[in-house]
Amino acid sequence: MPIGIFSSCKVIVLNTFIFLQLGINSSHATEFEISSIIGHNFSSDLSSSSTDTLVTSNENNVALAFAWQDSTTGQGQILLNYVSRDFTDDINQSTHSFNTLYAHFSGVGFFKERNYITTVGLGIGATYFHSDFDDVISPSITATIGTRYSLSETLILITELRGYATLTDDNDTLFCQNDSCVAHFDDAIWFDTQISIGIAYRF
């Protein structure tokens, strides 16, 4: 994982502890969760100057979530989600890495069903793109729908379908070196879709 990702994680983890501390000070009844999530990512394609599309590989994603809850109707959440993928250029058929770290603050609503809870979430944050050539941070949003099944008083099974939309810039040099670009984003918004499953620990 690139060094830049570790730096971004340090800032986000620090903010996480600040949010958690505020929650503890405001209400001792607040419940917290930490979740480990894994899934499969479906990516948009890139473009090049000579072809319509450059296919990006659909890879697995891993995520870590911190959440706090003081009511039965929802929770606040900080989510880190990492995807490692690649693409092959059409100049010399070289394969290049194209990795993504999502960091978002979200609100998640709970809708209780008979034996489970349906969740709907919306969040705002940033996307860190890293390639073999450069890296860039862009604003983004995320939306999700999922379910929660209680396995015990402290363990919860999570399933979710999540989408990301990231604002991109035609002038960035994410796929460029020495004024030569092997790829660029096809549209002004980059989309990722994920199907995931995870385990949450409540404390």
Side-chain angles (χ1 to χ4, degrees), residues 187-203:
D187 297 302
I189 298 178
W190 168 267
F191 292 100
D192 263 339
T193 305
Q194 299 172 350
I195 299 176
S196 305
I197 188 170
I199 293 290
Y201 174 72
R202 182 192 292 130
F203 58 98

Side-chain angles (χ1 to χ4, degrees), residues 18 40 64 77 89 96 137 142 153 155 157 160 179:
I18 292 174
H40 194 69
L64 185 66
Q77 182 188 76
D89 69 50
H96 307 282
I137 297 176
T142 182
E153 291 185 358
L155 292 179
L157 177 66
E160 65 178 29
D179 297 327

Side-chain angles (χ1 to χ4, degrees), residues 86-102:
D86 55 42
F87 70 95
T88 301
D89 69 50
D90 59 0
I91 298 175
N92 53 18
Q93 299 301 306
S94 296
T95 299
H96 307 282
S97 66
F98 172 36
N99 304 324
T100 308
L101 175 67
Y102 293 106

Side-chain angles (χ1 to χ4, degrees), residues 21-146:
Q21 187 63 42
L22 290 175
I24 291 171
N25 292 336
S26 63
S27 173
H28 291 288
T30 301
E31 293 183 346
F32 299 99
E33 286 181 7
I34 182 169
S35 304
S36 178
I37 303 167
I38 188 170
H40 194 69
N41 188 83
F42 301 91
S43 304
S44 301
D45 292 331
L46 298 171
S47 294
S48 71
S49 57
S50 57
T51 61
D52 291 334
T53 60
L54 295 176
V55 177
T56 57
S57 60
N58 294 319
E59 306 288 351
N60 294 332
N61 64 283
V62 292
L64 185 66
F66 303 91
W68 55 98
Q69 176 179 344
D70 54 12
S71 73
T72 59
T73 58
Q75 62 183 199
Q77 182 188 76
I78 293 176
L79 177 69
L80 301 177
N81 198 329
Y82 180 71
V83 183
S84 177
R85 59 189 152 207
D86 55 42
F87 70 95
T88 301
D89 69 50
D90 59 0
I91 298 175
N92 53 18
Q93 299 301 306
S94 296
T95 299
H96 307 282
S97 66
F98 172 36
N99 304 324
T100 308
L101 175 67
Y102 293 106
H104 287 84
F105 172 77
S106 301
V108 183
F110 290 175
F111 301 90
K112 181 144 181 84
E113 307 292 341
R114 181 173 299 178
N115 298 318
Y116 62 94
I117 294 174
T118 298
T119 60
V120 177
L122 185 64
I124 187 169
T127 302
Y128 173 79
F129 291 124
H130 177 83
S131 74
D132 289 340
F133 309 100
D134 203 356
D135 51 46
V136 65
I137 297 176
S138 302
S140 58
I141 60 173
T142 182
T144 183
I145 182 170

